[in-house]
Amino acid sequence: MTALVMKFGGTSVGNAERIREVARIVQSRQGRKRIVVVSAMAGITNLLFEMAEAARQHDLDRAVQILSKIEQMHLEASRSLDLATPDIIGRIKEIVENLQRRIHGIDLLGELSPRTMDEVASSGERLSSILVAGYLGCPLLDARKVIRTDSHFGTARPKLAAIKKLAALHIVPLLESYDIIVTQGYIGSEDAGDTTTLGRGGSDYSAGLIGAALQADEIEIWTDVEGILTADPRLVPSARTVEVLSYQEAAELASYGAKVLHPATVRPALDAGIPVTIRSTFKPDGMYSTISPGESSGRPCVAIAMRRNVVIISVTQESMTDQAGFLAKLFDVFGRRGVSVDLVSTSEICVSVSLDKSAPLEALTQDLEKLGQVSIARERAVIAVVGDLLRKTPEVLRKTFIAIDGIPVDLISMGANAINLSLIVQEAQADRAVQNLHAAFFEEGER
Ligand code: ASP
Ligand code: MG
């Protein structure tokens, strides 16, 4: 059986018009069995969290107000889609009434457990999927029957072997009778049957899991941009789609803030040898990116990524070289505070590490002062030049340094096996640095 998993994110199902477009795209993929995985309508998951939090703070008015907004959005979409039948309205109301009871329960207890939050949060996908399946006129499969997870509510970990069995039990027979089925992203259930979620943004993960379980031909992640771009288009209007990239490149870009998809979520699919493409519902015939198992961009620089809100902590210790175990002691400080260190650079007498600015800087400084003199550089950004062939291309270094000429660099890192060259600069200079680098790698005939 050749199967295609098509995942649509929140903006792709954000209103009636978008849902019609989703249906057009799904129907255009003739000749293949299609499993359509949908997110909640844009903004709904956030509203559900706000609603539950309001109930926990005993602000029932606000909670009820949010719920009624959620209900109206779905009822309105169902009317625009000509779906306002007693059956569909009844199913929407059923979820809304369940949420009403939850609100009162949370208010009564003044407590919001992760288990309850998952049940509440799952409503967004359960609602949007009713509309999408209704409009496509195809069966709706409750993802909780297939996506089996552990009981780590809020960020449940999937159980791959169980999912494979459950997919064979619940999806395969449906696909024998139907060409298209719809199911929810983000949600699953644990052994005892309670609802779990895979963590925020988890719908990509669901698509990857289902694709891997069914050994699909391809997983299409439909979003609002034309794949992964060579830079943030808000900074670099000429940024363009990266057509093919490796898993490592995608992972590296995501860790530096490229928001398109978190590649760890498609790992199960790539491990199963299934390519993942990232496409735009606004331009269904436009450009797209393919992350393919075993493939590479074949480029020294595939994209430039940037992340703000970085600080550098430096510890200077004149006699560091004589002290065996100095670095162990230093990293132990970060470890004990539960802070993950990003880049590291060491010289004879000074160690600098970069961190997110949300780290407990004061506490860290106090601890680190026992090891040496501590200084902090704030308002920094980390920029990464990423490409599989980066290290094999000495040219990259020359180009990089010419491009950022005149912009002070605080820290540089390029690991032995790394596919990225990272630079830390002042936040105020970061935009210009990205623009210059993009020009050097993508706008001067280096394709
Ligand atoms: N609706 C969920 C969220 O907003 C999952 C997703 O969209 O992937 O986090
Ligand atoms: Mg979303």
Side-chain angles (χ1 to χ4, degrees), residues 425-437:
V425 301
Q426 290 168 22
E427 243 176 316
Q429 308 268 13
D431 290 2
R432 186 157 67 95
V434 170
Q435 286 155 353
N436 290 357
L437 286 165

Side-chain angles (χ1 to χ4, degrees), residues 7 9-10 39-41 45-46 121 125 185-186 199-204:
K7 179 259 167 178
S39 290
M41 290 170 88
T45 310
N46 286 342
E125 272 70 12
Y186 181 51
R200 295 304 306 272
S203 295
D204 294 339

Side-chain angles (χ1 to χ4, degrees), residues 80-403:
S80 317
L81 293 168
D82 267 337
L83 287 176
T85 60
D87 172 46
I88 299 255
I89 304 245
R91 282 151 70 192
I92 293 174
K93 294 260 183 208
E94 195 185 316
I95 293 173
V96 169
E97 275 153 25
N98 177 46
L99 284 172
Q100 236 146 24
R101 284 193 294 276
R102 296 277 165 187
I103 288 176
H104 286 103
I106 297 166
D107 168 55
L108 213 62
L109 293 172
E111 200 180 82
L112 177 57
S113 68
R115 184 192 303 261
T116 303
M117 191 58 241
D118 270 0
E119 175 67 30
V120 169
S122 74
S123 309
E125 272 70 12
R126 279 158 51 221
L127 285 165
S128 64
S129 60
I130 293 174
L131 297 175
V132 175
Y135 192 71
L136 279 164
C138 66
L140 173 58
L141 172 80
D142 191 327
R144 293 173 295 184
K145 285 190 181 162
V146 174
I147 304 294
R148 181 58 47 86
T149 69
D150 67 8
S151 304
H152 204 279
F153 295 96
T155 45
R157 279 170 296 258
K159 297 183 173 174
L160 275 170
I163 292 170
K164 212 170 177 149
K165 283 197 193 115
L166 292 166
L169 196 64
H170 296 292
I171 301 184
V172 173
L174 262 184
L175 288 178
E176 273 157 20
S177 317
Y178 299 92
D179 286 338
I180 302 171
I181 63 171
V182 174
T183 190
Q184 303 89 6
Y186 181 51
I187 73 175
S189 68
E190 37 91 275
D191 288 336
D194 279 340
T195 301
T196 55
T197 64
L198 299 172
R200 295 304 306 272
S203 295
D204 294 339
Y205 207 172
S206 307
L209 292 166
I210 292 171
L214 293 175
Q215 199 54 50
D217 300 328
E218 184 181 336
I219 297 170
E220 295 181 344
I221 305 281
W222 289 88
T223 172
D224 48 8
V225 287
E226 288 177 88
I228 293 172
L229 301 183
T230 49
D232 182 341
R234 286 166 303 185
L235 290 185
V236 183
S238 63
R240 56 174 178 261
T241 301
V242 176
E243 286 172 45
V244 178
L245 66 169
S246 66
Y247 174 77
Q248 285 75 13
E249 287 170 325
E252 207 63 58
L253 288 170
S255 76
Y256 284 95
K259 283 196 206 72
V260 176
L261 117 154
H262 200 299
T265 64
V266 294
R267 184 86 230 199
L270 295 176
D271 286 345
I274 304 165
V276 175
T277 58
I278 301 155
R279 301 162 185 262
S280 167
T281 41
F282 292 94
K283 284 192 181 169
D285 301 316
M287 304 284 287
Y288 60 91
S289 300
T290 304
I291 306 174
S292 223
E295 285 225 49
S296 161
S297 68
R299 291 177 56 101
C301 171
V302 76
I304 318 278
M306 190 251 284
R307 191 174 66 221
R308 296 177 203 279
N309 299 322
V310 171
V311 297
I312 302 175
I313 297 192
S314 301
V315 182
T316 308
Q317 163 62 269
E318 301 290 341
S319 53
M320 180 173 107
T321 36
D322 305 334
Q323 287 194 19
F326 181 81
L327 284 177
K329 280 185 216 150
L330 186 116
F331 287 120
D332 186 49
V333 169
F334 294 101
R336 272 187 289 117
R337 296 269 173 202
V339 173
S340 83
V341 167
D342 197 4
L343 305 182
V344 181
S345 142
T346 71
S347 71
E348 277 292 296
I349 59 160
C350 177
V351 181
S352 299
V353 304
S354 71
L355 311 163
D356 191 84
K357 75 170 181 195
S358 62
L361 296 176
E362 256 176 50
L364 287 171
T365 306
Q366 273 179 14
D367 294 355
L368 291 169
E369 268 167 353
K370 294 175 194 132
L371 300 174
Q373 200 186 325
V374 179
S375 64
I376 300 186
R378 295 171 204 268
E379 289 172 21
R380 296 305 197 263
V382 56
I383 296 172
V385 177
V386 176
D388 275 338
L389 298 189
L390 183 127
R391 249 186 28 89
K392 299 202 178 98
T393 321
E395 175 81 355
V396 170
L397 284 175
R398 191 176 60 82
K399 276 197 168 181
T400 300
F401 290 120
I402 292 172

